[in-house]
Amino acid sequence: MHRLELIGVEKKFGDKTAVHVTNLCLEHGVYGLLGENGAGKTTLMRMICGILKPTQGVIRCDKIEIGQMGKTYRGLLGYLPQEFGYYREFTALRFLRYMAALKALPEAVSERRINHLMELTGLESVRKQKLKTFSGGMIRRIGIAQALLNDPEILILDEPTAGLDPSERVRFRNMISSLGKNRIVLLSTHIVSDVDYIADKIMIMKNGRMIRRGTQRQLSDSVGQIVWNCTVSEKNAEDINRRYIVSNIKNRENGVELRIISDRKPITDAQPTDATLEDVYLYLTRKEQEGEL
């Protein structure tokens, strides 16, 4: 088992701070990195992969700075970037063989891994088709396969479910959940459901800052009672929607049912209910935006 540590890590591009000072410790398990586009997730992951150097701070793997580890560290890594490049004229099989050669995998090992990953990602039947014929979801699957070729002990996945349909998403979540038992898996997304069921720990980023981290239960406990259900008239629903965060609206025969996120009881008839991860995420990111965290 490996241990990744980020100590005082910050990244600036000119006058813009993309990632503010961050301290993290990652051990085996699935870590969900939640944040909207532009929150700093990709920059943080690229630093962890050694593609970008921090402006300040240090990243260590097993107490050794990752830059000093060189190819040893790269051998531990599997990485699926948000913008995944590929050769359109290559077949799926040729592409994975090419990526295996770049990772310096022995031929016998690479063929076993490729066959296994074709099955795992559901691409076995299209292994000889050219990538230019693949749908967006299939391209993401071939990207996931290439990230797993070297059986990495540190797996970094940036927006991995982009373009996947609902059934592919479920298959992906199940696969990642099993992979996290004996390695570090860091998965970034702006889609809460991607990490809701599988992440052992969740980290929320906003404007380059790590605003909260912990298990889903810890995150929920940290915000207290913030979710309320009520049914109101259509006119009152419009007023409430302007004044509060409303995470769900349903039209009913007797009015409009609202799910309201608020520190205090929004109206007399509102009933408290348990917060989901999506509720917590909406609440914390709004608080950060308003400068209250």
Side-chain angles (χ1 to χ4, degrees), residues 114-119 121-128:
I114 288 169
N115 290 335
H116 170 67
L117 291 169
M118 286 285 194
E119 274 191 47
T121 55
L123 294 173
E124 176 62 33
S125 63
V126 294
R127 61 192 287 138
K128 294 186 178 180

Side-chain angles (χ1 to χ4, degrees), residues 39-156:
K41 305 186 306 296
T42 294
T43 300
L44 180 64
M45 300 180 96
R46 285 168 68 86
M47 286 192 290
I48 291 173
C49 290
I51 298 168
L52 292 176
K53 288 187 177 181
T55 305
Q56 69 176 48
V58 65
I59 301 175
R60 294 175 180 163
C61 179
D62 301 332
K63 300 184 179 181
I64 304 172
E65 198 273 320
I66 61 172
Q68 297 177 8
M69 296 177 70
K71 67 178 183 180
T72 301
Y73 183 66
R74 292 193 296 273
L76 299 175
L77 278 175
Y79 176 46
L80 174 62
Q82 187 173 4
E83 297 296 330
F84 170 55
Y86 58 95
Y87 295 99
R88 291 170 49 82
E89 295 297 326
F90 279 19
T91 64
L93 179 59
R94 184 183 175 192
F95 178 73
L96 289 181
R97 284 174 174 168
Y98 170 74
M99 295 302 295
L102 290 183
K103 293 172 188 268
L105 294 181
E107 186 175 344
V109 173
S110 69
E111 287 302 305
R112 286 198 302 272
R113 291 294 297 165
I114 288 169
N115 290 335
H116 170 67
L117 291 169
M118 286 285 194
E119 274 191 47
L120 190 66
T121 55
L123 294 173
E124 176 62 33
S125 63
V126 294
R127 61 192 287 138
K128 294 186 178 180
Q129 282 185 213
K130 290 187 176 182
L131 297 183
K132 67 181 181 181
T133 68
F134 279 23
S135 66
M138 291 165 73
I139 289 296
R140 295 309 286 177
R141 281 191 269 160
I142 202 77
I144 292 165
Q146 67 80 28
L148 291 168
L149 273 171
N150 58 328
D151 198 16
E153 296 179 63
I154 301 170
L155 182 59
I156 310 294

Side-chain angles (χ1 to χ4, degrees), residues 206 211 241-246 261 279-293:
K206 174 77 174 180
I211 61 175
N241 201 21
R242 285 192 298 268
R243 294 164 52 205
Y244 297 96
I245 304 170
V246 178
I261 302 173
D279 296 324
V280 173
Y281 172 70
L282 291 171
Y283 174 82
L284 290 172
T285 52
R286 174 66 69 87
K287 287 290 186 182
E288 168 66 17
Q289 184 174 327
E290 295 173 351
E292 297 181 23
L293 285 182

